[in-house]
Amino acid sequence: MQLQHERISENVYWFQSEIYAQVTAGVVTGPQWAAIIDTLATPEETLEMRTYIEEQLNVPVHYIINTHSHADHAWGNCFFPGATLIAHALCRKLFEEKGQSALELARQQNPIFKQVKLVLPHLTFTQGQLSLRIGKKNLILLPTPGHSHDSISVLVEEDRILFAGDAFLPLPYFVDGDIDQLASSIKNIGKMGLENIVQGHGDIILRGEIEDAVKENLAYLSALRKAVRNALRRKNPIEFLNSVDIESCKKSRVALGGLAAELHKRNLAALYKKMAASPESQSEDTPDSNDRTI
Ligand SMILES: [Zn+2]
């Protein structure tokens, strides 16, 4: 099995992609069936994860939770026929509005996506929390917007394990969402008294590392705001922004398999656009599927 995987706690498992930006997924098993949290980025790895669940954990997948609508978290839904799909209501809306065109574009770029079909969430919520009981575990689904407007996280209550999706990343990324919402989601996550944070990409954050990880991510967002405010005072703001490298914002460019530097640039561009227009305006860019994004 190529896919990295690990048992985090009794009946709770984690998978990490070897192919795409260290994207992650989770599984919680009960005596008769399992729920998965996200579906990985490529059919090959999704099917590997499914085989592992069915043959090693000996249970079928009855529920899929999408933390958000991005392709690398949700395009494997179709490989679990019969499973009930749960997500934020906005996730379903984004699938309806942008899903098919993004999939068609991806198919032109890469034939592996020919076998992918979009499956829209069956069960959605907009605010508050949703609980799903699986054997001895209670999963609590809660909105954690910012990376995208439809982002949710999943708490395994008994173990204090949070599958954060892209609300918590080695490099906070908000081009499809909102920096202020992301900052408050990160702060809230820091107050949950967690044992583990399973990031949407990258490695698991252990209890002793959580405080520093939260501080570092919030410091990064503050550094971005400061840099853009500075840029807005300059005669040539874009030139200044191009000089704001990721290290000056207290993050490393090697994060996310080296993708961090590119994502950092996009964060700066999105924030500049928002702050130049007005604090209320938000960018609505549609990600171009042949660009590597998360
Ligand atoms: Zn994402």
Side-chain angles (χ1 to χ4, degrees):
M1 178 153 164
Q2 288 253 344
L3 200 54
Q4 276 213 51
H5 62 283
E6 193 182 314
R7 179 181 173 277
I8 313 178
S9 140
E10 199 194 351
N11 304 121
V12 183
Y13 300 81
W14 166 87
F15 295 84
Q16 188 188 62
S17 170
E18 290 284 310
I19 298 173
Y20 188 78
Q22 302 165 336
V23 70
T24 69
V27 175
V28 180
T29 61
Q32 267 105 37
W33 45 267
I36 61 172
I37 299 147
D38 289 342
T39 63
L40 301 173
T42 63
E44 177 194 343
E45 289 191 323
T46 307
L47 292 167
E48 226 182 299
M49 176 170 73
R50 193 182 110 183
T51 305
Y52 183 84
I53 298 168
E54 291 173 353
E55 295 178 8
Q56 306 298 322
L57 306 178
N58 301 308
V59 281
V61 172
H62 278 194
Y63 289 93
I64 304 172
I65 300 164
N66 283 160
T67 60
H68 61 305
S69 68
H70 284 166
D72 53 333
H73 294 263
W75 277 4
N77 295 342
C78 60
F79 298 106
F80 300 90
T84 300
L85 189 49
I86 311 173
H88 192 286
L90 280 175
C91 178
R92 185 183 167 92
K93 192 162 174 281
L94 286 164
F95 268 139
E96 281 167 339
E97 290 170 358
K98 300 182 179 176
Q100 201 54 42
S101 55
L103 179 56
E104 262 136 41
L105 218 54
R107 283 179 177 154
Q108 286 162 22
Q109 311 289 344
N110 191 336
I112 61 164
F113 293 116
K114 286 219 162 37
Q115 51 190 307
V116 171
K117 289 183 188 58
L118 281 189
V119 180
L120 273 59
H122 307 108
L123 186 58
T124 63
F125 70 111
T126 50
Q127 59 200 356
Q129 299 180 345
L130 198 66
S131 284
L132 176 63
R133 186 94 212 166
I134 304 181
K136 289 183 273 184
K137 309 278 173 172
N138 191 36
L139 299 193
I140 298 176
L141 286 62
L142 61 153
T144 46
H147 168 75
S148 63
H149 302 295
D150 64 329
S151 281
I152 64 170
S153 294
V154 182
L155 175 68
V156 184
E157 199 178 11
E158 292 73 12
D159 303 282
R160 307 303 304 167
I161 295 169
L162 187 77
F163 288 91
D166 289 355
F168 211 100
L169 292 171
L171 184 90
Y173 186 57
F174 53 82
V175 169
D176 235 13
D178 177 78
I179 187 174
D180 301 318
Q181 283 187 334
L182 185 56
S184 68
S185 289
I186 292 170
K187 265 185 213 137
N188 293 339
I189 288 171
K191 294 179 198 148
M192 292 174 75
L194 300 169
E195 276 300 313
N196 298 107
I197 298 176
V198 178
Q199 306 186 92
H201 298 254
D203 295 330
I204 297 173
I205 300 177
L206 307 177
R207 187 173 54 177
E209 303 163 331
I210 292 175
E211 200 182 328
D212 287 348
V214 167
K215 272 193 199 137
E216 199 188 285
N217 279 7
L218 293 175
Y220 171 72
L221 296 177
S222 305
L224 287 185
R225 284 197 195 90
K226 194 168 168 223
V228 172
R229 268 197 298 274
N230 268 339
L232 286 165
R233 289 194 210 104
R234 309 266 166 149
K235 225 190 270 135
N236 196 333
I238 305 301
E239 190 184 279
F240 176 78
L241 280 181
N242 286 336
S243 74
V244 179
D245 63 16
I246 190 171
E247 286 81 9
S248 68
C249 298
K250 308 189 185 71
K251 279 285 183 182
S252 153
R253 68 183 54 244
V254 297
L256 293 164
L259 196 57
E262 175 57 30
L263 300 180
H264 169 69
K265 274 202 206 127
R266 291 192 201 156
N267 274 337
L268 278 171
L271 186 56
Y272 175 74
K273 214 172 159 186
K274 175 186 172 181
M275 288 171 73
S278 74
E280 288 77 46
S281 72
Q282 310 228 352
S283 75
E284 286 295 329
D285 292 346
T286 308
D288 176 335
S289 83
N290 61 8
D291 273 1
R292 292 191 63 192
T293 185
I294 60 177

